[in-house]
Amino acid sequence: APRTMPQREPSHAHILTQRVDIDDPTSSIAPPIYPSTTYARDNAHALPTVGPGGATLCYARPDNPTLRLPERMLAELEGGDDAALFASGMAAVTCVLNAVVRKGEIVLCPRRGYFAVRARIREWCEAHGAEVVHYDPEEYIELPEEDVTTRGEGGRDRDVPVEKAPPLELPLSMFHKMFEAGRTMAPVALVWIESPANPTWDAMNITAVSTLAKGFGVRCVCVDSTVMTPICSKPLSLGADIVMHSATKYLNGHGDVLAGALVTKRKDEVWAKILHERKLGGAVLGSFDAYLLTRGMRTLELRVRHQSESALWLAKELSKAIVEKKVKLPSSDGAIVLYPGLEPTPEFPRPDYVFHKINCPYGYYGGMLSVVFLVDRRQGQAKVKKPRLAKECAHFAANCRNWTCATSLGGFESLIEHRYSVEFSGPEYRNTPDDKQERRLVPHVPVGLLRLSVGLEKKEDLLRGFLQSLAEFKLPE
């Protein structure tokens, strides 16, 4: 891939450190918390107003001034018109589905990505008469040039010409076919993108996908940008309609808040439905959690930059250690490092690297990487070695020095996890009476994958702990 200089980084400090812009008679530096669930009317029976826009306050579920500060901060960081906070990232995902997708329509979902989101989309579509179609982020095609028209309600074409679709290299082979089929069959309502995809970190060409989707009248392109954060990537500027965050992770960054967020590019009909769904669905964030989230976001830029730099350094050092045969478990036949910022090599060409560069123009690629221990299938022992390798990886993760074995990411502490053990043990992977031959969801992660969330510790300590633990590894009998 051609080498390009990173774009000049935008200044986030003034956004993250700004004072609250609501009516606060005390002019407090730390924003106030409003725990009240209701607000008193005046003698004329009028509701109180707050903030520069004079928003009325009636009841805390839709109207909570404590939430407006982190929502405005996040909207400005992402370059969006508005943002909404939720009780969790999964609540935000569900709200998008409820607001965007209708019976008989199609949701395009990545085959690899956060397993809970994939499970939720599948279950929601089954319950609401919609169809989920999975695409593979690793497949590449060259699309032909052709004229497209925007599609109206019910899948009928409207005579509204749009720009000629340029030849686009897209990381999903059936994308164009699905949109074309939507003209006469079930229309595609929602395209869900997770880039990079957790935990294999495959990249999507968000710009190309969004351009094609708009040409075919897809209602919404939503990007899960939890791993990147707006410090590394801004999907709205790349063409996405909505950005989703599990604010539990990097946005809060301290492991003490469960929260989700949506940011919209424009206040349109879809966004109005999302706000209405949140109001009636009730999955709103509480005042104290919103306060903690605001406090965590104050240091977002400092944390993510440090974590990104440490993760890239670790990825390079671990790659060197692999060449030196220092990264090995008893049942493994080699290893590779997966990290968005690692440049391609002849041994590992990484065709999606150019998309990482496009999506992350500021030169930061996040604090997540994976080490994958491999089994050579050509030796004919894969069926025997894989179960043992899974046990070795789980035991290594639980005993790795200077890393904490726990489920989450984006916090100040460095975490390690064997995702295969976590995902394969879930109830969604157990056989059901009507599905005895195959599991409903196949784990999308390799058996030997260890997911690393790099925290704020010294990177040298993290590397030393990982390599020492490998050198001393022994699986208990």
Side-chain angles (χ1 to χ4, degrees):
R3 296 180 64 87
T4 57
M5 293 296 293
Q7 293 183 17
R8 184 175 181 178
E9 299 170 51
S11 175
H12 300 105
H14 72 286
I15 302 174
L16 295 169
T17 59
Q18 66 181 332
R19 286 182 58 248
V20 64
D21 58 352
I22 62 174
D23 295 333
D24 175 22
T26 68
S27 296
S28 300
I29 298 299
I33 304 174
Y34 296 88
S36 180
T37 58
T38 191
Y39 311 93
R41 296 174 181 264
D42 63 16
N43 292 337
H45 202 257
L47 292 169
T49 60
V50 66
T56 57
L57 302 176
C58 179
Y59 189 68
R61 181 165 19 88
D63 311 318
N64 188 336
T66 314
L67 274 62
R68 288 312 295 158
L69 175 59
E71 288 175 340
R72 289 168 184 165
M73 289 168 60
L74 187 54
E76 193 169 349
L77 283 171
E78 290 283 8
D81 272 359
D82 199 11
L85 292 176
F86 294 80
S88 69
M90 293 306 300
V93 173
T94 301
C95 188
V96 171
L97 293 169
N98 287 335
V100 173
V101 186
R102 302 166 187 166
K103 183 178 179 179
E105 294 181 330
I106 291 174
V107 177
L108 291 185
C109 175
R111 196 174 302 280
R112 284 186 301 283
Y114 180 49
F115 81 113
V117 170
R118 294 186 300 120
R120 180 58 178 152
I121 290 176
R122 175 182 56 79
E123 293 174 1
W124 189 96
C125 288
E126 288 179 353
H128 291 81
E131 182 181 358
V132 57
V133 176
H134 292 93
Y135 62 83
D136 191 335
E138 265 191 356
E139 297 178 10
Y140 296 80
I141 60 168
E142 187 77 20
L143 290 178
E145 286 192 275
E146 62 176 274
D147 290 315
V148 296
T149 56
T150 54
R151 176 176 41 76
E153 293 293 326
R156 293 188 297 271
D157 290 340
R158 292 186 288 122
D159 296 325
V160 181
V162 297
E163 291 185 358
K164 195 174 185 181
L168 301 172
E169 189 182 59
L170 298 180
L172 45 130
S173 64
M174 38 65 71
F175 204 69
H176 185 269
K177 295 178 181 178
M178 286 304 306
F179 289 161
E180 184 63 36
R183 294 174 180 273
T184 55
M185 301 170 61
V188 178
L190 172 65
V191 178
W192 191 272
I193 297 174
E194 184 177 336
S195 184
N198 179 8
T200 51
W201 319 122
D202 307 293
M204 293 286 295
N205 188 338
I206 297 173
T207 299
V209 171
S210 300
T211 299
L212 188 62
K214 287 177 175 58
F216 281 89
V218 173
R219 193 170 298 128
C220 180
V221 176
C222 185
V223 176
D224 182 345
S225 195
T226 297
V227 169
M228 284 291 102
T229 80
I231 306 303
C232 301
S233 179
K234 299 181 187 293
L236 296 182
S237 69
L238 299 172
D241 299 305
I242 291 176
V243 174
M244 193 283 290
H245 289 277
S246 172
T248 307
K249 312 303 193 298
Y250 283 100
L251 295 185
N252 176 56
H254 291 76
D256 53 9
V257 169
L258 193 67
L262 297 175
V263 185
T264 184
K265 188 171 186 176
R266 65 189 71 83
K267 295 180 181 179
D268 55 10
E269 180 182 355
V270 169
W271 186 246
K273 290 181 178 179
I274 285 175
L275 295 181
H276 180 74
E277 176 65 29
R278 183 181 69 160
K279 175 182 176 179
L280 297 188
V284 298
L285 193 65
S287 297
F288 290 95
D289 283 338
Y291 173 83
L292 288 174
L293 177 60
T294 302
R295 189 172 67 171
M297 288 177 64
R298 300 297 194 188
T299 59
L300 176 65
E301 186 169 29
L302 294 174
R303 288 185 286 105
V304 171
R305 284 186 180 183
H306 180 89
Q307 289 164 311
S308 297
E309 292 168 353
S310 295
L312 178 58
W313 183 86
L314 283 167
K316 291 179 177 179
E317 293 299 315
L318 287 170
S319 296
K320 294 177 185 176
I322 288 174
V323 175
E324 298 168 356
K325 308 296 183 182
K326 295 179 180 179
V327 181
K328 191 179 187 306
L329 289 173
S331 298
S332 69
D333 299 311
I336 58 172
V337 177
L338 305 178
Y339 179 69
L342 273 183
E343 294 187 359
T345 64
E347 298 77 22
F348 192 32
R350 302 184 65 234
D352 62 345
Y353 177 70
V354 64
F355 299 153
H356 285 302
K357 299 287 286 186
I358 294 172
N359 297 344
C360 303
Y362 315 120
Y364 294 103
Y365 300 94
M368 300 299 302
L369 67 148
S370 295
V371 176
V372 185
F373 294 93
L374 305 173
V375 172
D376 190 348
R377 297 180 180 179
R378 294 171 298 181
Q379 296 182 4
Q381 299 178 343
K383 290 185 177 181
V384 177
K385 296 177 73 173
K386 278 189 174 183
R388 184 168 180 82
L389 179 60
K391 293 180 181 179
E392 291 171 358
C393 287
H395 183 75
F396 175 81
N399 294 275
C400 187
R401 294 182 182 179
N402 300 340
W403 297 79
T404 300
C405 186
T407 297
S408 195
L409 56 93
F412 58 84
E413 70 292 328
S414 292
L415 303 180
I416 184 171
E417 187 173 41
H418 182 228
R419 287 302 304 171
Y420 186 89
S421 296
V422 174
E423 295 190 22
F424 197 76
S425 64
E428 59 270 25
Y429 297 120
R430 296 172 188 163
N431 293 337
T432 58
D434 59 345
D435 192 17
K436 296 180 180 180
Q437 299 301 318
E438 59 181 3
R439 300 182 185 276
R440 305 187 70 186
L441 278 177
V442 177
H444 70 306
V445 295
V447 170
L449 186 144
L450 295 176
R451 188 183 73 180
L452 310 180
S453 174
V454 180
L456 303 179
E457 304 91 340
K458 288 184 64 176
K459 57 183 182 293
E460 294 83 2
D461 292 341
L462 296 174
L463 179 65
R464 182 170 57 253
F466 191 92
L467 295 179
Q468 286 181 351
S469 299
L470 278 176
E472 300 169 3
F473 179 81
K474 185 177 181 181
L475 185 66
E477 296 298 334

